[in-house]
Amino acid sequence: MERWEVINAVQRMQDYIEQNLNCPITLSDLAKVAGYSQWHSARIFKELTGKAPFEYMRALRLTKAALLLRDKRTKVIDVAFDFVFDSHEGFTRAFSKQFGVSPKKYSNSPEPIQLFIPNRIREYYLTLQKGEVMMSDKKRTNTVFVQVVERPSRKLIIKRGIKATHYFEYCEEVECEVWGILISIKEAMYEPAGMWLSENLIKPGTSSYVQGVEVPINYAGRVPEGFDVIELPPCKMMVFQGEPYEDEKFVEAIEELCDVMKKYNPQIYGFEWADDEGPRFQLEPQGYRGYIEARPVKQINNK
């Protein structure tokens, strides 16, 4: 129980930082939220997140600033003040040190950079336990919404693993910074996803499970070092979406939807699985929208 009290205290500090990122935050503020002394709050925060509170805040502010510079025509000085930097010069130094490019140059020509995407500590530790702490004795029975969507010709930027067949193995093989790089790619057509590649897309000696993002077929931007690009043909994807769920019950939501997909017969609606036409993917679990997975299909020709 004591360990979970610490985890929840750090989660409260993370939530407070996220909600007040555009305002000055003191260690005293965080200590009040955590319910511990300033010294102990700072110690447990670094122990669980890997960064001291102010290092964490600076990295997160710079990441939010980078996304703002990437997506909107905003003056660098305005972004600097929005994220509580005292001067244009101080912001430029910090941004350049964090990302290896000045904020003005990045604003004019955004390229993939290493954004800081922190784990939500409570969800991270629940993930490590693979849901053991939150599974109830009685399984829920929820509705799963199914639809077929069209995917155009496109390119897929991925980071391969070694032998990973699912998310947990992938995290052990590949550095966690992958997601931050994928999110930074401005030309992305959809959000980043975890993916299971079909055999025709797997390189010898690499994993079937990868993380990646789809970009337009004419994408000519920089490919991050260590990433691969695959061209994908047009295809249909059958998308499965569960009901919204409480964030801490994400493992249960994933298991329920996976059970549905295993038993689902697409032929009822005139389709069949077409795994060679593209990767099956899973979107980042987010409780407000329900868990989402998709698998390639093609229409059955009834003659």
Side-chain angles (χ1 to χ4, degrees):
M1 178 60 71
E2 182 181 349
R3 183 62 171 171
W4 279 100
E5 289 175 357
V6 169
I7 291 170
N8 289 331
V10 173
Q11 184 63 68
R12 291 194 297 273
M13 287 189 277
Q14 283 188 302
D15 291 342
Y16 183 86
I17 290 170
E18 183 75 33
Q19 294 161 9
N20 296 276
L21 204 57
N22 299 98
C23 306
I25 301 173
T26 66
L27 189 53
S28 175
D29 294 329
L30 296 181
K32 289 177 183 176
V33 171
Y36 293 107
S37 70
Q38 293 186 32
W39 178 84
H40 190 63
S41 297
R43 187 181 68 81
I44 62 174
F45 190 93
K46 184 170 184 179
E47 178 187 339
L48 268 62
T49 69
K51 290 183 181 291
F54 292 107
E55 180 188 7
Y56 178 100
M57 282 187 272
R58 171 162 290 212
L60 191 56
R61 282 172 172 150
L62 289 169
T63 286
K64 300 291 187 182
L67 292 173
L68 197 59
L69 290 170
R70 186 194 71 180
D71 297 335
K72 296 185 179 181
R73 299 184 66 84
T74 307
K75 293 181 179 179
V76 172
I77 186 63
D78 291 337
V79 174
F81 289 148
D82 282 347
F83 289 99
V84 204
F85 284 85
D86 293 332
S87 66
H88 181 290
E89 293 76 15
F91 174 71
T92 296
R93 284 195 301 271
F95 192 99
S96 301
K97 182 178 180 180
Q98 182 83 7
F99 301 121
V101 61
S102 73
K104 184 162 184 62
K105 183 177 179 181
Y106 179 73
S107 178
N108 292 334
S109 182
E111 291 191 351
I113 56 176
Q114 180 60 69
L115 298 178
F116 174 57
I117 310 296
N119 287 312
R120 286 178 56 80
I121 288 302
R122 179 172 173 77
E123 293 177 11
Y124 173 73
Y125 278 93
L126 290 174
T127 299
L128 290 182
Q129 295 188 25
K130 300 186 180 181
E132 293 175 6
V133 298
M134 91 271 306
M135 294 297 288
S136 59
D137 294 333
K138 184 178 179 181
K139 258 189 173 289
R140 301 176 302 166
T141 302
N142 285 338
T143 300
V144 174
F145 179 66
V146 183
Q147 63 175 324
V148 175
V149 300
E150 299 279 351
R151 280 289 210 256
S153 297
R154 61 219 185 274
K155 290 179 180 177
L156 175 63
I157 299 176
I158 61 170
K159 176 71 172 180
R160 300 180 189 270
I162 304 169
K163 297 180 180 179
T165 60
H166 55 73
Y167 173 80
F168 297 107
E169 291 176 347
Y170 184 82
C171 290
E172 292 176 358
E173 294 178 358
V174 180
E175 295 181 1
C176 59
E177 287 82 4
V178 170
W179 202 256
I181 294 174
L182 294 173
I183 288 176
S184 79
I185 298 176
K186 183 177 182 179
E187 295 84 355
M189 299 168 65
Y190 315 103
E191 64 186 276
M195 302 177 181
W196 290 270
L197 300 178
S198 56
E199 290 187 8
N200 60 313
L201 299 178
I202 301 173
K203 284 185 176 180
T206 65
S207 61
S208 59
Y209 186 90
V210 302
Q211 288 184 349
V213 69
E214 293 170 327
V215 295
I217 192 66
N218 61 353
Y219 178 79
R222 184 172 70 85
V223 177
E225 185 177 354
F227 287 66
D228 285 350
V229 178
I230 299 172
E231 288 196 11
L232 298 175
C235 74
K236 291 180 172 62
M237 299 293 297
M238 185 168 282
V239 181
F240 295 78
Q241 182 172 8
E243 290 184 13
Y245 58 88
E246 296 177 15
D247 285 335
E248 64 269 20
K249 295 184 178 180
F250 70 97
V251 173
E252 185 176 355
I254 292 172
E255 290 180 347
E256 289 180 358
L257 189 134
C258 288
D259 287 343
V260 170
M261 290 183 69
K262 287 176 183 177
K263 301 172 184 176
Y264 193 83
N265 181 7
Q267 295 182 7
I268 296 173
Y269 297 102
F271 293 93
E272 61 184 8
W273 302 126
D275 294 326
D276 287 344
E277 297 192 4
R280 178 175 134 230
F281 67 77
Q282 60 177 175
L283 298 186
E284 180 182 11
Q286 296 183 13
Y288 76 91
R289 66 183 181 185
Y291 176 62
I292 299 171
E293 266 194 41
R295 185 175 175 181
V297 292
K298 61 183 178 183
Q299 285 185 297
I300 299 172
N301 293 323
N302 295 316
K303 296 184 178 179

